[in-house]
Amino acid sequence: MPRHTGSGLARRAAMTLAALARDGEVDLFVVPVAGGEPSPPDHVLLEAARIHVLSLQEHLDPHVALIARLTDPLEEARAMERYPKPYLARFCTAASAAEVFDWARICPPTVVHVMRLYLAPLAGPFLRLAPAVRPEMVLDLDDDELETRTRLADLCRLRGEDEAARQEERERGKYETYVHRYLAAFDRVSLANPADAARIGRQFPSARTAVVPNGVLPPDGVPRHEPSAEGPLRLLFVGTLDYLPNADAVEFLCTAIRAALHDLSSREIAIDIVGAGGEHLLNRFGRLEDVRLHGYAPCLASFYAAADVAIVPIRAGGGTRLKILEAFAHHVPVVSTALGAEGLGAVDGRELLIGDSAASIARACLRIKSDPALARHLACRAGALVSRSHGPDAVAAALRRLRGRRVGP
């Protein structure tokens, strides 16, 4: 469900819906495979002309239902390995696609905008229409799923989780099948990260790629405090903690980076971690006196207002990081890994500071705290970048550029 709070997927959907609603009537069909509250928030009720939510209970692939009946966990795992679709596509059946198509025929669309590769099968009935009556077809990949899965497998191996790495590699193979099957069939394929779009364009020349940036709303709420060299160094990490790259970032922060901070300085530190999930992280780090895990918070303004640095020690993932854009919008200085900051157009030393080792990240955080002028400079430049390239107007303009470029099958 599109939502301006919560996961990156929900927030990208919310920005997309708002942008499309500026220019026409939008019918919203939600397939809630990524979890979250399926009931629409107020802004969705205002922006969508019609809303329908697919019942997952009624549309689970019969093959997956049969696999779930296996009593031996090992046999069940092996059967899911052989299941040909990506795991998140297990509700994308022929019946699901027919329900989307029949619902849409009440008000025939001129554009069909599908969010994420795993939902591409639901566009099948539209893609099979004759060119003269087929709507424009847009597939928002968001990120390069093949690159993301490779990175996740590498991260699992770095963590010593070899079986999890093999699972990511198997899932990558399933997504590769979808890439070959669907990318050329759509009139436009959009991604958040220019590097992802360029890579997809090189590897799959028949895909007509474009960049639609991630965006954030201008913040309101608690005013940000003036940077000061006094007091403790307050670090903030925001993210859904059941997602492996975020969980790994928290572990990296609370172990190696935290240790480096204590080695490099006697300054008191306070680490605030905000996000849903992550019970295992609470059990592991919840008793540390300088770490606080807050769980899900619908409003983050007070956390950003109190933070000296928004820290993003991400070591895997794809697309672009909304957590960085959100910190930029709140005028909070950011320290990130190079991977965490990719695709945003932010430059080390201009809008943020980059570090990839625990020591370099720790030094960057301490540098911002000890130099209020640097903190103000980074926050000012970062805020300008968001306003220029990642606000609602930028997202709407990018989506408008997609339209009217139909190539056809």
Side-chain angles (χ1 to χ4, degrees), residues 25 172 185 204 257 339 375 387:
E25 248 183 28
R172 183 195 184 281
F204 304 96
I257 297 171
L339 187 151
S387 297

Side-chain angles (χ1 to χ4, degrees), residues 57-141:
Q57 286 185 332
E58 298 174 11
H59 289 89
L60 179 64
D61 189 327
H63 292 90
V64 177
L66 288 172
I67 291 171
R69 294 171 62 182
L70 293 171
T71 57
D72 185 335
L74 184 58
E75 286 299 317
E76 182 180 1
R78 288 173 177 167
M80 282 305 301
E81 289 173 15
R82 295 190 294 271
Y83 180 64
K85 299 179 183 178
Y87 180 71
L88 288 174
R90 65 196 185 280
F91 300 101
C92 296
T93 63
S96 303
E99 183 168 327
V100 175
F101 188 70
D102 290 342
W103 184 77
R105 284 198 299 181
I106 298 172
C107 299
T110 55
V111 178
V112 174
H113 191 107
V114 180
M115 297 203 65
R116 297 304 298 236
L117 178 58
Y118 52 79
L119 294 186
L122 297 182
F126 297 101
L127 294 170
R128 290 190 290 271
L129 291 173
V133 296
R134 198 187 84 171
E136 279 192 61
M137 302 297 297
V138 176
L139 176 61
D140 181 15
L141 297 181

Side-chain angles (χ1 to χ4, degrees), residues 260-332:
L261 286 166
H262 287 301
D263 288 343
L264 291 167
S265 173
S266 59
R267 184 186 291 274
E268 181 184 353
I269 63 171
I271 300 172
D272 289 301
I273 297 166
V274 184
E279 285 73 17
H280 66 291
L281 298 172
L282 179 62
N283 294 334
R284 185 173 175 187
F285 302 117
R287 295 183 181 179
L288 297 177
E289 61 180 16
D290 49 6
V291 175
R292 288 181 294 181
L293 286 93
H294 298 272
Y296 171 72
C299 180
L300 298 170
S302 61
F303 292 102
Y304 283 115
D308 294 305
V309 176
I311 187 167
V312 186
I314 295 290
R315 302 193 289 182
T320 59
R321 253 55 59 190
L322 274 159
K323 57 173 63 68
I324 292 183
L325 295 178
E326 188 172 59
F328 282 178
H330 281 86
H331 288 81
V332 179

Side-chain angles (χ1 to χ4, degrees), residues 235 248-264 269 271 311-315 335 337 355-363 365-366:
L235 303 178
D248 175 77
V250 168
E251 293 177 14
F252 188 28
L253 170 59
C254 293
T255 54
I257 297 171
R258 176 174 171 269
L261 286 166
H262 287 301
D263 288 343
L264 291 167
I269 63 171
I271 300 172
I311 187 167
V312 186
I314 295 290
R315 302 193 289 182
V335 173
T337 56
D356 284 313
S357 68
S360 63
I361 292 170
R363 283 193 294 268
C365 293
L366 291 166

Side-chain angles (χ1 to χ4, degrees), residues 26-46:
V26 182
D27 291 335
L28 174 66
F29 193 103
V30 180
V31 186
V33 294
E37 173 55 52
S39 60
D42 289 344
H43 67 88
V44 170
L45 294 173
L46 292 172

Side-chain angles (χ1 to χ4, degrees), residues 336-382:
S336 174
T337 56
L339 187 151
E342 68 178 3
L344 297 175
V347 176
D348 184 20
R350 189 175 71 188
E351 287 92 6
L352 78 175
L353 296 184
I354 297 290
D356 284 313
S357 68
S360 63
I361 292 170
R363 283 193 294 268
C365 293
L366 291 166
R367 180 183 167 198
I368 289 173
K369 179 62 179 177
S370 64
D371 189 346
L374 172 63
R376 284 189 289 269
H377 167 80
L378 294 173
C380 181
R381 298 297 295 269

